[in-house]
Amino acid sequence: MSSVLLAGGGSAGHVNPMLATAHELRRRGHDVAALGTTEGLEADLVPRAGIEMHVVPRVPMPRRPSGDLLRLPKNLKSAVAAARIAIDDTGAQAVVGFGGFVSTPAYLAARKAGIPIVIHEANARPGLANKLGVRWAARVGATLPGTPLKGAVVTGMPLMPPVQALAEQLAAVNQAPTVRAQARDALGWPADAPVLVVTGGSQGAASLNAATVGAVDDLTAAGVYVWHITGKGKSEVPEAAKATLPPERAAMYRVDEYCHDMAEVYSAATAIVCRSGAGTVAEVTAMQLPAVFVPFPHGNGEQALNAVPAVDAGAGEIVTDADLTPAVLVARAQALVLGTDAESEGARMRRAAAEFATVDGAARVADLVEEVL
């Protein structure tokens, strides 16, 4: 079999699809290694996954004049050299990039080494690294249709193995109710509990946290169970709000700063309120969860674009960050988790999510890689 070097660092949006593809390639018998930095999320997640990581210097790609711009040629040259050493050390026969700081030197080193490049773009709006790399790419995969990269084919998002396995289980006939019931029972909640998950990701989201704290009294009074993932270091105010609830309703409000096993969270959920990073949109639709997407209001607007195809398909809705008040959260949660008939809003979104989702994204990207090996 072949040796493949994968590059994707910084945020979970780059690292998770890289790891999902690495697992699939390794399952098919290929040797895999990863490029990463010592500062990004990959420094923890790649070794945790049992994958060898080769370190390259972090090279910010400045969008405006700055000291980083002046240092760019020297920094980039150093990073390309490190990536070329990793290619030689691993005997890589292809480089697969997922965007971010790590991918630019990987693409340049692969071009110099004369080995094929495969790109996966997670977002509706491509980043700088993949806009550069597509010039030399042999194959290009994209999570969403209409992604403006030449030659891109839609692969969907590569899902981590536990999430993919859960998605396949939920898609099996009559399995979803059993899976949900078992997950809630493990939390000490009723098997038929209507569960709202609220998460702003690993770093949390101030607007989602504030709206949840303001809404939790009304939500639990209405019979809604709430699993609130606050982000690291951001649980103090939610825990204080929980302490003000009557004991029987405090038991309906679970607060965690971070969850390593999101499959466990998705299993228990009836609906979700979340940001709309590309990975999040892909996962929650694969989980067949009605979703209220609250796009990150800063940056280049990619999160709103990521959510649009799922929303257009009927699998969720968008509420802007500024519009997410406690009252809005209560109203949307009740509509999505308390309706029990087949024509309720939540039920319609679940069916739409099941039709929209792509579960085998990792296999599709691995197919592109094998085409060039």
Side-chain angles (χ1 to χ4, degrees):
M1 284 295 176
S2 303
S3 176
V4 181
L5 185 64
L6 299 100
S11 68
H14 299 306
V15 178
N16 283 343
M18 178 187 74
L19 290 177
T21 305
H23 286 302
E24 176 63 20
L25 288 169
R26 193 158 58 178
R27 188 189 68 80
R28 297 183 183 196
H30 300 288
D31 293 328
V32 298
L35 282 178
T37 69
T38 57
E39 297 93 348
L41 196 60
E42 68 275 14
D44 173 45
L45 296 185
V46 170
R48 186 190 292 267
I51 294 170
E52 179 184 9
M53 191 177 90
H54 296 256
V55 174
V56 296
R58 183 178 180 272
V59 184
M61 302 296 284
R63 299 173 185 269
R64 57 184 61 87
S66 67
D68 284 337
L69 182 60
L70 295 175
R71 291 185 290 271
L72 179 61
K74 180 179 179 181
N75 291 343
L76 186 58
K77 183 178 180 180
S78 175
V80 172
R84 180 59 190 268
I85 290 171
I87 289 172
D88 293 341
D89 286 351
T90 61
Q93 294 157 276
V95 162
V96 188
F98 296 83
F101 296 133
V102 176
S103 292
T104 299
Y107 298 149
L108 292 170
R111 183 184 180 218
K112 287 186 175 183
I115 62 174
I117 296 167
V118 177
I119 287 175
H120 180 268
E121 176 56 56
N123 295 299
R125 179 174 287 163
L128 293 175
N130 283 350
K131 285 181 179 179
L132 175 68
V134 75
R135 301 178 185 184
W136 314 301
R139 296 288 188 278
V140 181
T143 295
L144 298 169
T147 301
L149 286 177
K150 184 179 179 181
V153 298
V154 178
T155 60
M157 175 69 78
L159 301 176
M160 292 291 283
V163 175
Q164 180 176 339
L166 176 59
E168 292 169 348
Q169 197 175 7
L170 291 171
V173 177
N174 298 324
Q175 287 299 302
T178 301
V179 171
R180 305 273 188 220
Q182 290 174 343
R184 292 163 189 162
D185 182 66
L187 296 170
W189 289 346
D192 59 351
V195 177
L196 178 72
V197 169
V198 183
T199 174
S202 60
Q203 300 304 311
S207 58
L208 273 67
N209 288 346
T212 306
V213 167
V216 71
D217 189 23
D218 289 339
L219 287 170
T220 54
V224 177
Y225 289 70
V226 180
W227 193 343
H228 184 185
I229 302 169
T230 65
K232 292 183 178 180
K234 298 176 182 175
S235 63
E236 183 177 352
V237 174
E239 288 286 7
K242 178 175 180 174
T244 67
L245 296 173
E248 67 277 8
R249 287 202 277 127
M252 299 167 64
Y253 183 31
R254 174 171 176 146
V255 178
D256 286 306
E257 291 192 350
Y258 184 78
C259 290
H260 277 292
D261 186 2
M262 283 304 294
E264 176 189 15
V265 178
Y266 294 140
S267 297
T270 307
I272 190 167
V273 179
C274 56
R275 290 299 197 202
S276 52
T280 300
V281 175
E283 289 183 356
V284 302
T285 53
M287 297 300 103
Q288 303 179 19
L289 290 176
V292 177
F293 296 115
V294 187
F296 183 63
H298 308 295
N300 64 4
E302 68 181 25
Q303 285 212 353
L305 293 175
N306 290 338
V308 165
V311 172
D312 286 349
E317 61 183 312
I318 293 175
V319 173
T320 66
D321 198 77
D323 288 341
L324 187 70
T325 63
V328 168
L329 181 58
V330 170
R332 300 316 303 140
Q334 289 181 327
L336 296 182
V337 306
L338 294 180
T340 57
D341 65 86
E343 292 308 312
S344 68
E345 192 172 359
R348 292 198 304 271
M349 282 191 183
R350 274 189 288 279
R351 291 194 295 271
E355 293 178 8
F356 173 81
T358 299
V359 175
D360 62 343
R364 296 187 187 197
V365 176
D367 287 344
L368 295 182
V369 177
E370 291 189 328
E371 287 173 12
V372 306
L373 288 171

